[in-house]
Amino acid sequence: MSTETGSRDRILARIRAAVADAPDASEAARDYLDSHTPDDPTAILDLLQENLADYRAIVHRASEAELPALVAQLLADRGARSVAVPDGLPAAWLAAADVGQRTDDGPLTPYELDAVDAVVTGCALAIAETGTIVLDAGPGQGRRALTLVPDLHICVVRAPDQVVASVPQAMPRLDPTRPLTWISGPSATSDIELDRVEGVHGPRTLEVVLLQD
């Protein structure tokens, strides 16, 4: 037995001895509010847009018919010449875009991904109170690397179906066994002097399209 393992066992044994006669813990109170937002889809969507923008995401609204032209325009405005396409992404979303489409068959190597200008995905959920988008690698989202390596991420959120007010409302709708990625704005970090640098750990630019029926 290593010294580390022996020390751990001794500490755990002392803890067990100390709490051996302790009473069972009372049931945790669950009477808290699961949301601080009115149960109004319009208000929730407006709050989501406000908080996404507060995290420096760029937010757009579009209908299903308007989406292909909007995606094409966003890619063109950023000078994107190639886009990563996750499995299951609706083909219509990129139908108007004049870019090279790279599917993740194979899959794409890190070097190939690094040469791709953008990625277009859907999402699993969006949380209004925190301005957070959650990906779970489901259809139209792809593996995590697809949304971390390209410099531009265009994410489409179906409203109101994929929008919830709060984290407590989101948790029952997410599968904890899936690889969940929680995104609040573009990748950013700050040094000790609070100088913000974007694009260090992920995409430099996050464009969110709220797709409304």
Side-chain angles (χ1 to χ4, degrees):
M1 179 183 297
S2 69
T3 302
E4 292 82 0
T5 303
S7 298
R8 182 191 64 189
D9 290 343
R10 286 194 296 273
I11 293 170
L12 290 176
R14 290 175 184 173
I15 294 173
R16 293 189 189 99
V19 301
D21 298 326
D24 292 337
S26 58
E27 192 72 24
R30 303 293 183 185
D31 56 349
Y32 50 78
L33 294 175
D34 70 354
S35 171
H36 298 279
T37 305
D39 187 17
D40 175 4
T42 300
I44 292 172
L45 193 61
D46 289 343
L47 180 62
L48 173 63
Q49 178 166 350
E50 178 184 340
N51 286 331
L52 284 168
D54 192 48
Y55 276 120
R56 302 195 187 185
I58 303 166
V59 187
H60 314 267
R61 298 200 189 198
S63 66
E64 194 86 42
E66 296 167 335
L67 182 61
L70 175 59
V71 170
Q73 186 63 53
L74 296 179
L75 291 169
D77 288 347
R78 297 289 176 180
R81 293 170 295 178
S82 58
V83 60
V85 183
D87 185 46
L89 190 81
W93 290 7
L94 288 167
D98 184 19
V99 292
Q101 298 186 24
R102 299 296 307 274
T103 59
D104 199 31
D105 299 334
L108 294 171
T109 68
Y111 295 104
E112 290 171 327
L113 268 178
D114 192 43
V116 174
D117 297 320
V119 60
V120 177
T121 75
C123 72
L125 281 179
I127 304 170
E129 290 181 355
T130 59
T132 302
I133 293 169
V134 186
L135 309 182
D136 66 0
Q141 300 171 57
R143 58 194 173 102
R144 184 170 291 160
L146 283 183
T147 57
L148 292 181
V149 179
D151 206 44
L152 167 64
H153 181 190
I154 299 174
C155 185
V156 179
V157 180
R158 292 188 179 276
D161 295 346
Q162 292 183 319
V163 180
V164 296
S166 65
V167 172
Q169 291 180 0
M171 297 307 294
R173 294 181 54 174
L174 297 171
D175 182 351
T177 65
R178 297 191 64 81
L180 301 177
T181 302
W182 299 63
I183 302 170
S184 296
S187 170
T189 189
S190 297
D191 62 17
I192 195 170
E193 295 179 351
L194 301 182
D195 291 328
R196 180 183 172 100
V197 179
E198 297 181 349
V200 176
H201 311 296
R204 191 184 312 274
T205 304
L206 175 63
E207 304 256 11
V208 179
V209 180
L210 304 179
L211 188 63
Q212 298 177 268
D213 296 334

